[in-house]
Amino acid sequence: MPANTNTGNPGPLGLAAFSLTTILLSLVNSGLFGLELEMALIPMALGFGGFVQLLVGMLEYNEGNTFGLTAFTSYGAFWIWFGLLITMTHNGILPSVGAQAIGVVLLVWGLFTVGMWISTFKLNWALWSVFLMLSITFFLLAFGDILGIASLVTFGGYLGLVTGAGALYISIAEVTNWSFDAEVLPLGGQPLKSKPTTRDSMNVADD
């Protein structure tokens, strides 16, 4: 029987939206597929990767999950930016944007992701790994565009595939573990264990 919870966990949905769009774009960045796949991805980036993650972020607010609120809302906005950028430049609404400018944007997102990665030290090893790989992916793509080194973009594409696969695993694991009401697919404990504080010790003693 599934776990008896008052509200559903929106996290797995957000992770699914993030992972599938990341995998598809990474197939393009890695050179495994051409630009036609990127064009096919645009509506999905706007709808699933963008809107759905924004929705999940708002649902995480109701759950009191500051990390989920910040992460899903931010990366949802990233995918909306990506979809609008490609759509508007291809239709002449915006002038063409150079690779170096894109690289600067990706660099800033890499720095933001490092900040989010720090929080995962208190979550679980699975999220810790995904955010570490996502940070490196952003930096590879960013410096590949800024420096004009195509091999960095390609390598970033392959690492993006691993990142997306990791996020997809967490999504499936959280749904599966909820359905079975047991840890069927492990996510790992906290990378940085909490140490009991003096107040915690007093509370335990009082109990």
Side-chain angles (χ1 to χ4, degrees), residues 4-21:
N4 184 17
T5 53
N6 293 324
T7 58
N9 177 12
L13 174 60
L15 286 165
F18 169 81
S19 65
L20 295 183
T21 45

Side-chain angles (χ1 to χ4, degrees), residues 40 42 44:
I42 301 306
M44 183 175 174

Side-chain angles (χ1 to χ4, degrees), residues 103-199:
V104 172
V105 174
L106 295 176
L107 180 61
V108 172
W109 275 98
L111 294 173
F112 169 77
T113 304
V114 170
M116 298 301 295
W117 174 63
I118 294 172
S119 298
T120 64
F121 278 83
K122 302 297 291 182
L123 298 176
N124 58 61
W125 278 108
L127 280 172
W128 183 91
S129 301
V130 166
F131 274 83
L132 175 61
M133 289 186 293
L134 181 59
S135 300
I136 299 173
T137 298
F138 270 125
F139 289 134
L140 287 171
L141 296 175
F143 286 112
D145 284 342
I146 293 172
L147 301 176
I149 303 176
S151 59
L152 290 180
V153 176
T154 301
F155 188 34
Y158 280 107
L159 188 56
L161 289 172
V162 179
T163 302
L168 183 60
Y169 169 81
I170 299 173
S171 175
I172 294 173
E174 289 188 351
V175 174
T176 302
N177 294 345
W178 175 85
S179 298
F180 285 84
D181 197 13
E183 189 181 53
V184 179
L185 299 174
L187 296 173
Q190 291 182 354
L192 186 62
K193 298 293 184 180
S194 300
K195 293 183 179 180
T197 63
T198 303
R199 179 177 296 180

Side-chain angles (χ1 to χ4, degrees), residues 27-149:
L27 287 172
V28 178
N29 290 331
S30 64
L32 295 175
F33 282 83
L35 291 178
E36 285 189 2
L37 179 59
E38 184 175 344
M39 295 300 102
L41 170 63
I42 301 306
M44 183 175 174
L46 291 168
F48 197 41
F51 174 75
V52 169
Q53 281 200 86
L54 287 179
L55 175 62
V56 169
M58 296 302 99
L59 293 174
E60 290 285 18
Y61 171 83
N62 293 328
E63 297 295 312
N65 185 349
T66 302
F67 178 84
L69 164 66
T70 306
F72 288 123
T73 304
S74 298
Y75 294 114
F78 170 84
W79 281 111
I80 291 175
W81 164 80
F82 171 78
L84 289 177
L85 178 68
I86 300 298
T87 301
M88 295 174 80
T89 52
H90 275 258
N91 287 282
I93 300 174
L94 289 177
S96 179
V97 179
Q100 288 187 328
I102 299 295
V104 172
V105 174
L106 295 176
L107 180 61
V108 172
W109 275 98
L111 294 173
F112 169 77
T113 304
V114 170
M116 298 301 295
W117 174 63
I118 294 172
S119 298
T120 64
F121 278 83
K122 302 297 291 182
L123 298 176
N124 58 61
W125 278 108
L127 280 172
W128 183 91
S129 301
V130 166
F131 274 83
L132 175 61
M133 289 186 293
L134 181 59
S135 300
I136 299 173
T137 298
F138 270 125
F139 289 134
L140 287 171
L141 296 175
F143 286 112
D145 284 342
I146 293 172
L147 301 176
I149 303 176

